[in-house]
């Protein structure tokens, strides 16, 4: 069902293409008569406005559509052929290539503002060069896959995506609000973000109504890739990729927490979703079994995490680890909160996502002033 949601979204934003450029196409250029013509100032009639069509904005919009189309196509392929994790992890990176090329050609800024304590060593601005493109490619890989990792119960994929989308929209509205001088230098970037987010929220709400517990449809990997790539596109093309990462704190924690299983330091089953107890009707933490005792270092790490209540383990009389809970935030939440209904777990994780996201926005626009001269919201 995620593929249908993504296709409807793509059709909507394709039909929407002329509307952001209405003024440029009709009002200013009278149909585009002088969009590619450069005239000397003395050749322009007095009082006439010489308009140049914003081809860079159109290129950004079209590259966003192309990247989203690519990730949907690759996501459908994953759903059909069940591609292995080590092969499909780079799928979003290929889809991001059109967007990154347009960013390089039309924008190309690779400088970052250095925090105040480090400016005496690196200066006010630091040019990362190709490392900045590696950073953006990493975001393109991380965001879709992080949503795909934090999955497994009814409604959780769509719920977390809706929360993140609404928080990004809130961040956009802060720049468009009349309490700030208008137009803000970042107005166009955040309008671009809203153009892509509003239809995404619409199709996601429709999907959520069918995917919420008890689910009538499942979203598939296509929706996870599609939703993550929407956030990647608005974050990179809207030039707020660092703010975007602040809204992904639960996903970042879930990835780091899952890393020992993802990189096979401990056994990783095909599915790590919580276990359903048919007798109680509640979800419980799922487990993974050790066919062979783990190394001494891994065993010490597991026992430490057990003492910190970050997982549960079962050991034999010799102290060797025989079993541990799977390392996902869903299982961890069940360890902390105890067995619960599937819908309650999804609600509580959505609340956690909301609280973390709002905290991230406060950090971005208030606490960041501790390490930077200004916040671009007040520029």
């Amino acid at each position: 069902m995620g593929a249908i949601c993504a296709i409807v979204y793509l059709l909507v934003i394709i039909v929407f293409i002329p509307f952001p450029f209405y003024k440029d196409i009709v009002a200013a250029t009278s149909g585009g008569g002088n969009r590619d013509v450069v005239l000397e100032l003395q050749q322009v009639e007095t009082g006439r406005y010489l308009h140049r069509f914003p081809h860079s904005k159109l290129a950004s919009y079209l590259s966003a559509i192309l990247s989203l189309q690519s990730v949907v196509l690759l996501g459908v392929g994953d759903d059909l052929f069940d591609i292995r994790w080590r092969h499909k992890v780079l799928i979003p990176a290929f889809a991001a290539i059109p967007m990154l090329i347009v960013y390089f050609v039309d924008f190309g800024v690779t400088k970052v503002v250095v925090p105040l304590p480090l400016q005496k060593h690196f200066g006010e601005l630091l040019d990362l060069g190709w490392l900045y493109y590696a950073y953006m490619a990493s975001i393109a890989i991380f965001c879709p896959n992080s949503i795909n990792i934090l999955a497994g119960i009814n409604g959780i994929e769509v719920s977390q995506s809706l929360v993140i989308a609404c928080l990004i929209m809130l961040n956009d509205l802060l720049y468009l609000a009349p309490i700030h001088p208008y137009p803000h230098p970042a107005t166009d970037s955040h309008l671009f973000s809203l153009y892509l987010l509003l239809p995404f929220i619409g199709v996601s709400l429709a999907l959520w109504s069918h995917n919420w517990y008890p689910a009538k449809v499942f979203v598939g990997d296509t929706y996870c890739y599609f939703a993550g790539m929407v956030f990647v596109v608005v974050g990179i093309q809207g030039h707020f990729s660092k703010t975007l990462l602040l809204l992904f704190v639960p996903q970042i924690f879930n990835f780091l927490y899952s890393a020992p299983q993802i990189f096979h330091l401990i056994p990783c089953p095909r599915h790590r979703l919580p276990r359903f107890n048919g007798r109680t009707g509640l979800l419980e933490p799922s487990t993974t079994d050790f066919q062979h005792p783990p190394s001494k270092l891994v065993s010490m790490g597991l026992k430490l995490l057990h003492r910190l209540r970050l997982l549960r383990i079962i050991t034999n009389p010799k102290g060797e680890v025989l079993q541990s809970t799977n390392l996902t935030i869903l299982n961890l939440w069940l360890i902390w909160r105890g067995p619960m209904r599937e819908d309650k777990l999804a609600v509580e994780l959505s609340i956690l996502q909301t609280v973390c996201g709002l905290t991230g926005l406060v950090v971005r626009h208030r606490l960041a002033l501790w390490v930077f001269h200004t916040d671009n919201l007040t520029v």
Side-chain angles (χ1 to χ4, degrees):
M1 196 65 179
I4 297 175
C5 174
I7 291 170
V8 172
Y9 172 84
L10 288 171
L11 292 175
V12 170
I13 61 174
I14 288 172
V15 171
F16 185 69
I17 290 175
F19 295 93
F21 305 98
Y22 171 80
K23 179 179 178 181
D24 302 291
I25 294 173
V26 178
T29 68
S30 299
N34 63 1
R35 62 184 180 183
D36 292 317
V37 178
V38 179
L39 299 178
E40 296 295 332
L41 181 62
Q42 60 268 23
Q43 295 177 311
V44 181
E45 298 175 4
T46 304
R48 181 183 176 189
Y49 175 63
L50 181 61
H51 180 76
R52 294 296 303 275
F53 187 86
H55 290 97
S56 60
K57 294 181 184 177
L58 179 60
S60 296
Y61 193 96
L62 295 179
S63 69
I65 294 176
L66 185 55
S67 289
L68 290 169
Q69 287 177 329
S70 300
V71 82
V72 170
L73 181 63
L74 295 169
V76 170
D78 182 25
D79 282 334
L80 291 176
F81 303 110
D82 196 20
I83 304 172
R84 297 178 68 88
W85 260 105
R86 62 173 173 266
H87 299 141
K88 69 182 182 181
V89 68
L90 295 177
I91 283 177
F94 291 104
I97 289 175
M99 174 183 59
L100 294 179
I101 290 176
V102 170
Y103 183 93
F104 173 77
V105 172
D106 284 337
F107 195 68
V109 174
T110 57
K111 294 181 180 179
V112 295
V113 179
V114 178
L116 293 175
L118 300 177
Q119 287 188 3
K120 60 182 179 181
H121 302 292
F122 301 102
E124 187 174 350
L125 294 175
L126 177 64
D127 190 356
L128 298 180
W130 66 269
L131 289 175
Y132 194 80
Y133 291 94
Y135 156 73
M136 291 189 290
S138 300
I139 291 178
I141 294 171
F142 172 76
C143 290
N145 283 298
S146 66
I147 293 176
N148 202 14
I149 294 173
L150 209 171
I153 63 174
N154 291 173
I156 191 64
E157 299 94 336
V158 185
S159 295
Q160 63 181 302
S161 299
L162 279 170
V163 170
I164 294 171
C166 290
L167 290 169
I168 297 175
M169 185 173 67
L170 174 61
N171 182 64
D172 293 332
L173 293 176
L174 291 175
Y175 289 86
L176 302 176
I179 59 175
H180 301 293
Y182 186 86
H184 189 280
T187 294
D188 287 342
S189 297
H190 290 280
L191 279 175
F192 173 86
S193 174
L194 287 178
Y195 295 156
L196 297 182
L197 284 177
L198 290 176
F200 172 78
I201 292 173
V203 297
S204 295
L205 283 172
L207 180 60
W208 180 87
S209 67
H210 296 284
N211 182 242
W212 186 251
Y213 179 87
K216 305 179 185 67
V217 300
F218 297 104
V219 299
D221 289 343
T222 301
Y223 178 82
C224 298
Y225 290 134
F226 154 65
M229 186 55 68
V230 170
F231 302 142
V232 171
V233 166
V234 299
I236 292 178
Q237 300 281 34
H239 312 300
F240 55 88
S241 57
K242 295 180 287 295
T243 303
L244 177 67
L245 291 179
L246 291 175
L247 306 181
F248 271 77
V249 169
Q251 285 74 19
I252 293 173
F253 173 83
N254 187 55
F255 170 75
L256 296 175
Y257 183 62
S258 300
Q261 282 191 306
I262 293 175
F263 297 107
H264 295 284
L265 296 178
I266 65 175
C268 182
R270 180 78 173 101
H271 298 289
R272 302 180 298 155
L273 61 156
R275 180 174 64 88
F276 178 73
N277 188 323
R279 184 175 58 84
T280 62
L282 302 178
L283 293 181
E284 299 174 350
S286 62
T287 59
T288 183
D289 296 321
F290 289 81
Q291 301 300 325
H292 306 284
S295 66
K296 186 176 180 179
L297 183 61
V298 172
S299 181
M300 290 175 57
L302 291 173
K303 291 176 181 178
L304 176 61
L305 292 175
H306 176 73
R307 293 192 188 98
L308 296 174
R309 295 193 70 236
L310 293 176
L311 56 75
R312 290 176 186 164
I313 60 173
I314 295 177
T315 59
N316 62 16
K318 298 180 181 179
E320 297 172 339
V321 179
L322 300 178
Q323 188 182 83
S324 76
T325 52
N326 283 308
L327 303 179
T328 70
I329 195 173
L330 296 175
N331 289 307
L332 178 60
W333 198 259
L334 291 171
I335 292 173
W336 288 344
R337 300 275 291 126
M340 64 177 65
R341 281 170 52 96
E342 188 168 348
D343 54 343
K344 184 178 180 182
L345 177 59
V347 168
E348 292 190 3
L349 264 295
S350 298
I351 293 173
L352 174 67
Q353 183 83 53
T354 303
V355 172
C356 290
L358 291 173
T359 303
L361 290 180
V362 172
V363 169
R364 172 65 184 84
H365 296 298
R366 288 293 178 264
L367 301 186
L369 294 174
W370 292 357
V371 292
F372 295 103
H373 282 299
T374 59
D375 172 27
N376 63 3
L377 182 61
T378 58
V379 172

